[in-house]
Amino acid sequence: GDSVTQMEGPVTLSEEAFLTINCTYTATGYPSLFWYVQYPGEGLQLLLKATKADDKGSNKGFEATYRKETTSFHLEKGSVQVSDSAVYFCALAGVSGSARQLTFGSGTQLTVLP
Amino acid sequence: NAGVTQTPKFQVLKTGQSMTLQCAQDMNHEYMSWYRQDPGMGLRLIHYSVGAGITDQGEVPNGYNVSRSTTEDFPLRLLSAAPSQTSVYFCASSYHRTGGNYGYTFGSGTRLTVV
């Protein structure tokens, strides 16, 4: 079945540092890929998404490129802020199986220090 | 525009008790689903529905029941709570369009503790 493998945390960075959170996936066909963010005590918010190979999703300075050849969707940000501290989840919506419901990675806790 | 509304936000149950977690959406989405979030495991799909009257099991359905009598509501029932069901539960509604254009909206979650 579909699966998502995400870089394990926690990750601690200083403000203005470069961020990369790795995400790779296993799925049949061409799934849609997502990054969600969860701030403390809150639900999940969509950060960005990509629906086909070579698409780049971007939002709030975060970027991720759908790489079919490496089955990856790594999250990057050039300069993190304290307000970016949160848990980040990589997810996919497959083209078969559970009616295209989301399959999540285990999440990566990011802490940004001032 | 409320989106997805979950109630209650917090609940403590004793082992063997039953309860229903409520979920309602006002976006006219055809799909709804329930996930549980456990430390280090991400979110796992419990049950989902592709429309009123149609439900199916996800990855971890045991111990939970669902029904979908209307487009708006998708309650999750715990028939006999167990400590292993201590978790944070999220409801989501979604639309699915051609070309992989999918949109998911999550509720704010219900934190359930079973003692």
Side-chain angles (χ1 to χ4, degrees):
Chain A
D2 297 344
S3 66
V4 176
T5 301
Q6 193 174 334
M7 170 179 167
E8 292 194 13
V11 174
T12 302
L13 296 173
S14 298
E15 206 165 24
E16 301 184 0
F18 184 85
L19 169 71
T20 299
I21 301 177
N22 290 337
C23 172
T24 58
Y25 68 89
T26 301
T28 55
Y30 292 85
S32 293
L33 301 175
F34 305 81
W35 277 100
Y36 282 87
V37 58
Q38 184 179 35
Y39 298 102
E42 298 186 9
L44 277 75
Q45 300 176 24
L46 177 66
L47 183 58
L48 52 85
K49 69 178 182 181
T51 60
K52 61 183 185 295
D54 300 325
D55 265 2
K56 177 183 284 188
S58 61
N59 186 27
K60 300 180 181 179
F62 291 90
E63 294 183 340
T65 301
Y66 188 145
R67 300 291 187 194
K68 181 67 175 175
E69 63 277 13
T70 55
T71 61
S72 65
F73 193 55
H74 305 322
L75 182 68
E76 296 181 338
K77 187 175 185 182
S79 177
V80 294
Q81 305 301 311
V82 172
S83 57
D84 294 326
S85 297
V87 181
Y88 293 81
F89 291 95
C90 185
L92 70 82
V95 296
S96 61
S98 303
R100 289 162 286 172
Q101 298 306 304
L102 291 169
T103 298
F104 286 87
S106 57
T108 301
Q109 173 77 55
L110 170 67
T111 301
V112 180
L113 302 176
Chain B
N1 186 4
V4 177
T5 302
Q6 284 185 242
T7 56
K9 291 189 181 301
F10 302 94
Q11 183 71 48
V12 178
L13 287 180
K14 294 182 179 179
T15 298
Q17 285 186 317
S18 63
M19 79 160 295
T20 299
L21 280 64
Q22 301 292 344
C23 177
Q25 55 102 355
D26 62 358
M27 297 169 286
N28 202 32
H29 287 169
E30 61 268 37
Y31 291 79
M32 296 186 76
S33 49
W34 279 100
Y35 296 83
R36 59 178 288 173
Q37 182 181 21
D38 300 296
M41 302 187 73
L43 279 76
R44 293 180 293 168
L45 182 66
I46 304 171
H47 286 285
Y48 65 97
S49 169
V50 301
I54 307 170
T55 64
D56 206 345
Q57 297 180 351
E59 180 185 357
V60 288
N62 292 340
Y64 307 95
N65 279 355
V66 293
S67 61
R68 183 109 177 261
S69 57
T70 67
T71 299
E72 295 78 19
D73 299 300
F74 190 46
L76 178 72
R77 298 182 185 84
L78 284 69
L79 300 179
S80 178
S84 60
Q85 294 179 302
T86 294
S87 187
V88 181
Y89 291 85
F90 289 99
C91 178
S93 71
S94 58
Y95 63 83
H96 299 227
R97 304 289 180 257
T98 58
N101 181 18
Y102 308 150
Y104 300 84
T105 301
F106 285 84
S108 58
T110 296
R111 184 175 294 276
L112 175 67
T113 302
V114 182
V115 297

